[in-house]
Amino acid sequence: MANIMSEKPTDVILGIPEIIEKYRIGEKLVMVTAYDYPSARAAELAGVDIVLVGDSGAMTVLGHESTTMITIDEMLMFCKAVRRGIRSPFMVGDLPYGSYEVSDEQAVQTAFRFIKEAGCDAVKLEGCGPMSISRARAIVQAGIPVVGHVGLTPQTAVTLGGYRAQAKNAEAASLLIQGALALQGAGCFCLVLEAIPSVVAELVVERIEVPTIGIGAGPATSGQVLVFHDLLGIGEGRDAKFVRRYADLLEAMKCGITDFAKEVRNREYPTTEHEYKMDPQEADTLRSILRSEED
Ligand code: KIV
């Protein structure tokens, strides 16, 4: 199997200072999700700034109907594989549902696992209510960088009325802006804004000092993130409004496997170029050994 790690990695290793500097000079930040070694390698080779090991992997990789089912151990396995595949991008691990809500202590303990066992540079958690703000503050105080996530927070999609845009009225938008400010106050060094009206994202960006990464939040944010499977066209079904597909890999994968199946069935694969050879004399010796054993 080909090993793409043999490609030369970029020299720059992105930490928080480099990300903040890009933000300061107005360079858009590029974040993409990854869940395993090949997706991580693709992200690194494409030169993205931040790789998010998202709990979206519950759906895109594990086939669950929502993100709530994924466990800490499954997320850690994804993170470890991604860590092996990237060197330059900053790596954020998503704290899964149920791994941080119970107490600040639980949140800090889970966050430490993502850093110590899986080599993440930071963790992300969802929400901007009092619980999320307290957990973010506790994790930051323990010395772990935290990315906040507001707007559509898939772990609580049921409470939010499904996978739909949030903060569409003035009252909800004002609460979201207060929440974003509170996450910043708790020490989050970056915020993801998901599925909110562009004008609300603009008002957040005007008011906070940390970089924002948008997904369905319009063009005003400091950067953009898309889910790997969405942007490369690996998933089936209808895309969210904010998704642009930059490739159709599901079709490419289907064609590749269909061609393989056809050639196997037609005896066109493998051909002699794919065969391991044995010295004909060795083959003769083998045949006579077998004959004498079978007599
Ligand atoms: O889990 C995920 O992929 C995410 C992104 C959508 C931001 O949280």
Short mmCIF file of all heavy atoms in Angstrom, two decimals, residues 28 52 63 97 153 264 295:
data_model
loop_
_atom_site.label_atom_id
_atom_site.label_comp_id
_atom_site.label_asym_id
_atom_site.label_seq_id
_atom_site.Cartn_x
_atom_site.Cartn_y
_atom_site.Cartn_z
N LYS A 28 -7.34 34.84 5.79
CA LYS A 28 -8.45 33.94 6.15
C LYS A 28 -7.90 32.61 6.65
O LYS A 28 -6.96 32.05 6.05
CB LYS A 28 -9.35 33.68 4.94
CG LYS A 28 -10.22 34.87 4.56
CD LYS A 28 -11.45 35.00 5.47
CE LYS A 28 -12.34 36.16 5.01
NZ LYS A 28 -13.43 36.44 5.97
N LEU A 52 -9.71 19.94 12.40
CA LEU A 52 -10.63 19.63 13.50
C LEU A 52 -11.02 18.16 13.40
O LEU A 52 -11.56 17.72 12.38
CB LEU A 52 -11.90 20.49 13.37
CG LEU A 52 -13.06 20.07 14.28
CD1 LEU A 52 -12.73 20.29 15.75
CD2 LEU A 52 -14.34 20.84 13.91
N GLY A 63 -21.42 6.27 10.72
CA GLY A 63 -22.76 6.02 10.19
C GLY A 63 -23.89 6.21 11.17
O GLY A 63 -25.01 5.76 10.93
N TYR A 97 -20.30 14.51 23.09
CA TYR A 97 -21.49 14.64 23.95
C TYR A 97 -21.35 13.72 25.16
O TYR A 97 -21.01 12.54 25.02
CB TYR A 97 -22.71 14.26 23.11
CG TYR A 97 -24.03 14.37 23.80
CD1 TYR A 97 -24.53 15.60 24.20
CD2 TYR A 97 -24.80 13.23 24.03
CE1 TYR A 97 -25.76 15.70 24.81
CE2 TYR A 97 -26.04 13.32 24.63
CZ TYR A 97 -26.51 14.56 25.02
OH TYR A 97 -27.73 14.66 25.62
N THR A 153 -25.51 23.82 17.27
CA THR A 153 -24.59 22.94 18.00
C THR A 153 -25.18 21.53 17.89
O THR A 153 -26.12 21.19 18.61
CB THR A 153 -24.46 23.41 19.47
OG1 THR A 153 -25.78 23.71 19.96
CG2 THR A 153 -23.58 24.64 19.57
N VAL A 264 -12.21 -8.33 -12.14
CA VAL A 264 -12.07 -9.61 -11.44
C VAL A 264 -13.02 -10.62 -12.09
O VAL A 264 -12.63 -11.75 -12.42
CB VAL A 264 -12.38 -9.45 -9.94
CG1 VAL A 264 -12.51 -10.81 -9.26
CG2 VAL A 264 -11.29 -8.63 -9.25
N ASP A 295 2.83 -39.53 -2.24
CA ASP A 295 2.90 -40.97 -2.60
C ASP A 295 2.69 -41.86 -1.39
O ASP A 295 2.99 -41.53 -0.29
CB ASP A 295 4.25 -41.27 -3.25
CG ASP A 295 4.23 -40.80 -4.72
OD1 ASP A 295 3.15 -40.52 -5.23
OD2 ASP A 295 5.33 -40.66 -5.28
#
